[in-house]
Amino acid sequence: MSTSQLVVQHLPYLRRYARALTGSQVAGDAYVAATLETLVNEPETLGRSTNVKADLFRVFTRIWNSLSVNGRREQVQHDLPAEVRLGQITPLPRQAFLLSCLEGFSEEDAAIILDVDVAQVRDLVDEAGRELAADMATEILIIEDEPLIAMDLEALVEGLGHNVIGVARTRSEAIKIAGEGGKRPGLILADIQLADGSSGLDAVNDLLKTFEVPVIFITAYPERFLTGERPEPAFLIAKPFQPANVSAVISQALFFQQTARRREAKTA
């Protein structure tokens, strides 16, 4: 397989990572586009190791941390909410956290990507875990039609200190749970294909008409939803998932939400 084919193969996961850093499809994809432009102009930046994926993420990180990109506010940050602008200067601890926990890079590869040593990667991941876990407990709605997966998710999020207000197997159940007794979730975890043939995407769109919360989609086919051909989820987890993946994305999604609320409170 050629290097260009390998880049295409890893591109959906780079886009997922970029969105997790920014909390936005638009902002994340802007950085990925800048990375691809760099690869076209400097093809020698790939192939420095035997791991093309790590090389690709290393080039992205160089772009991410470059003043030439972060400084172009009118292009990358234009009319984005405050929490996304903050996300575009995501510090090293959360980069290390997401590389390790969301993308599954080894400590050695994460160190190469971030241009630090392995000991620093460990310290950064620990620091990010403490930062992202602080004061973020919330109510969570799970939309998942497979009972065992739903049970795993429920146990996982409760272990992180959150409260599950309900588990829905269909679009209609999700709407019912969210409407019972004012039980509005602070975050939604949603499968995309549900038991009765309904769509988790449609269920979430119905719910977001009445309130706004971060949403994390879970699917066995993440590459189908990272094509650039339609409005796409900002936060996406692949099945089968690792607990660390779910923990990392929940923490990042809630971080953006809390940052937005704090900034709104200051300007109110």
Side-chain angles (χ1 to χ4, degrees):
M1 187 178 293
S2 69
T3 300
S4 60
Q5 288 174 319
L6 288 171
V7 168
V8 170
Q9 177 182 320
H10 297 308
L11 193 57
Y13 303 99
L14 181 65
R15 296 179 71 206
R16 175 177 66 178
Y17 172 68
R19 293 174 187 194
L21 284 177
T22 63
S24 162
Q25 174 186 341
V26 174
D29 284 354
Y31 277 97
V32 172
T35 301
L36 295 178
E37 289 175 9
T38 298
L39 293 179
V40 169
N41 295 323
E42 304 173 29
E44 70 279 2
T45 54
L46 284 182
R48 295 184 180 179
S49 72
T50 57
N51 189 333
V52 172
K53 184 178 181 182
D55 276 351
L56 177 63
F57 276 69
R58 180 179 51 77
V59 175
F60 171 89
T61 299
R62 192 187 86 188
I63 299 299
W64 176 266
N65 292 320
S66 71
L67 293 175
S68 60
V69 173
N70 281 334
R72 292 188 305 182
R73 294 180 179 274
E74 74 280 5
Q75 294 182 34
V76 177
Q77 297 183 333
H78 180 63
D79 72 12
L80 295 176
E83 68 271 26
V84 173
R85 295 200 298 273
L86 177 65
Q88 288 181 322
I89 53 171
T90 301
L92 276 176
R94 274 187 282 130
Q95 293 180 56
F97 186 72
L98 291 171
L99 285 170
S100 300
C101 298
L102 176 62
E103 299 303 333
F105 281 105
S106 67
E107 292 178 339
E108 290 76 15
D109 282 339
I112 292 171
I113 291 167
L114 297 176
D115 195 23
V116 299
D117 60 38
V118 170
Q120 285 177 285
V121 168
R122 291 172 186 158
D123 290 342
L124 289 167
V125 171
D126 288 344
E127 181 182 343
R130 292 191 298 271
E131 171 195 336
L132 293 172
D135 302 322
M136 288 191 180
T138 191
E139 308 286 317
I140 292 182
L141 170 63
I142 296 173
I143 307 174
E144 170 59 63
D145 65 326
E146 297 185 40
L148 291 178
I149 293 178
M151 289 173 61
D152 285 345
L153 287 172
E154 187 171 9
L156 174 58
V157 299
E158 288 179 346
L160 294 172
H162 305 295
N163 178 53
V164 176
I165 64 170
V167 177
R169 298 179 66 251
T170 65
R171 176 181 179 180
S172 58
E173 285 180 11
I175 295 169
K176 181 180 178 182
I177 291 171
E180 287 178 346
K183 287 185 179 179
R184 288 190 175 180
L187 182 140
I188 298 172
L189 281 172
D191 190 6
I192 290 179
Q193 295 181 335
L194 302 178
D196 61 350
S198 60
S199 165
L201 287 166
D202 291 337
V204 166
N205 286 335
D206 287 342
L207 294 172
L208 295 185
K209 290 176 183 177
T210 56
F211 58 88
E212 187 172 336
V213 296
V215 180
I216 299 169
F217 286 100
I218 302 175
T219 174
Y221 306 101
E223 65 279 1
R224 295 182 184 177
F225 298 91
L226 292 171
T227 63
E229 297 176 355
R230 63 172 75 84
E232 301 163 341
F235 298 106
L236 197 64
I237 294 173
K239 289 181 179 179
F241 54 80
Q242 296 296 321
N245 299 156
V246 181
S247 174
V249 179
I250 287 176
S251 295
Q252 191 75 346
L254 292 176
F255 171 83
F256 284 117
Q257 182 192 46
Q258 288 206 352
T259 300
R261 288 176 177 173
R262 290 190 187 114
R263 294 178 71 96
E264 287 171 2
K266 287 180 181 179
T267 56

